[in-house]
Amino acid sequence: GENVEQHPSTLSVQEGDSAVIKCTYSDSASNYFPWYKQELGKGPQLIIDIRSNVGEKKDQRIAVTLNKTAKHFSLHITETQPEDSAVYFCAASRGSSNTGKLIFGQGTTLQVKP
Amino acid sequence: ETGVTQSPTHLIKTRGQQVTLRCSSQSGHNTVSWYQQALGQGPQFIFQYYREEENGRGNFPPRFSGLQFPNYSSELNVNALELDDSALYLCASSLDGRSYNEQFFGPGTRLTVL
């Protein structure tokens, strides 16, 4: 069945360091991979996404890489700041379908220490 | 531009009762998806509504039902509540039902079943 595994479940870094979160998906038909940030008491907010026709995408301090052969994708945050502290979710979706069904990972709690 | 709103914010029900949760989609969006997020887990897809029709459903029993109105707002109804239904219920709106479109999440409704 469709499944997304996310690691690590918790991540603690010092301000200014980099953080990497990794996800693996099972459905080979998946071709859209968004990352969401969820702060306490709020709904998930899209921070970056990637489609299967590209291997990497950057947006300032955030980057996502995709390895379709290995069914892996990763989120990289550089120069972390305390305001990056939140729960991060990866997700996968079949872009070829007519439904926006997102399969989410279990989440990573990122703590950035000042 | 108004974002996705949900009501109520919190709700407490007892086992066996019925509940209705409401979602107003973002302006210009005709698609609403509903997700259940248990504590410490990633959101799980319940179903999606596109132009007032159900457009995909996850692994949830029939006692979870929905509705979408001509203004594209939506309701999630849950009958015969069980303790395991306690969760954060999120709705997300998107431009249309295709999965490449970004899903904008509301803040959620926290449901507690006693």
Side-chain angles (χ1 to χ4, degrees):
Chain A
E2 303 156 320
N3 190 42
V4 175
E5 295 287 333
Q6 181 173 347
H7 298 281
S9 57
T10 60
L11 181 58
S12 182
V13 300
Q14 211 63 39
E15 183 177 359
D17 287 350
S18 294
V20 180
I21 303 170
K22 298 182 179 182
C23 288
T24 303
Y25 60 97
S26 61
D27 184 1
S28 56
S30 298
N31 55 8
Y32 174 62
F33 308 93
W35 285 88
Y36 285 86
K37 175 183 181 182
Q38 187 172 27
E39 296 174 321
L40 206 60
K42 296 184 179 180
Q45 180 185 10
L46 180 75
I47 55 172
I48 195 167
D49 58 12
I50 191 167
R51 300 182 185 183
S52 60
N53 56 347
V54 296
E56 184 175 358
K57 184 176 178 181
K58 279 186 180 179
D59 183 4
Q60 299 181 355
R61 297 186 296 109
I62 294 173
V64 58
T65 58
L66 171 65
N67 181 332
K68 278 212 75 177
T69 305
K71 295 193 230 172
H72 289 170
F73 59 114
S74 301
L75 178 71
H76 305 253
I77 306 174
T78 58
E79 299 171 21
T80 53
Q81 300 165 4
E83 50 265 40
D84 294 330
S85 297
V87 181
Y88 290 81
F89 291 96
C90 63
S93 177
R94 285 184 172 191
S96 58
S97 74
N98 288 325
T99 178
K101 176 182 178 181
L102 292 171
I103 307 298
F104 282 85
Q106 300 90 332
T108 296
T109 300
L110 173 64
Q111 182 188 27
V112 180
K113 299 177 188 174
Chain B
E1 185 179 88
T2 307
V4 178
T5 59
Q6 292 186 244
S7 62
T9 307
H10 296 90
L11 206 49
I12 299 175
K13 292 285 187 179
T14 54
R15 239 178 348 173
Q17 284 189 311
Q18 178 266 340
V19 70
T20 297
L21 310 181
R22 294 177 176 84
C23 170
S24 290
S25 59
Q26 187 162 308
S27 176
H29 289 183
N30 60 24
T31 300
V32 171
S33 302
W34 285 92
Y35 293 83
Q36 180 195 66
Q37 186 177 22
L39 205 59
Q41 301 293 318
Q44 280 198 298
F45 178 77
I46 303 175
F47 43 56
Q48 181 186 82
Y49 278 84
Y50 169 61
R51 295 191 173 186
E52 304 178 59
E53 297 286 332
E54 188 179 289
N55 182 44
R57 188 179 182 93
N59 295 327
F60 282 81
R63 60 190 185 83
F64 285 78
S65 63
L67 204 56
Q68 188 177 32
F69 300 98
N71 67 354
Y72 303 128
S73 66
S74 178
E75 285 183 355
L76 165 65
N77 299 291
V78 187
N79 293 322
L81 283 167
E82 300 177 0
L83 297 179
D84 284 350
D85 295 334
S86 294
L88 181 68
Y89 287 85
L90 295 161
C91 82
S93 77
S94 51
L95 265 176
D96 61 39
R98 287 175 293 181
S99 58
Y100 278 165
N101 288 311
E102 178 180 352
Q103 295 191 27
F104 294 83
F105 282 84
T109 293
R110 173 73 61 189
L111 173 64
T112 302
V113 182
L114 302 175

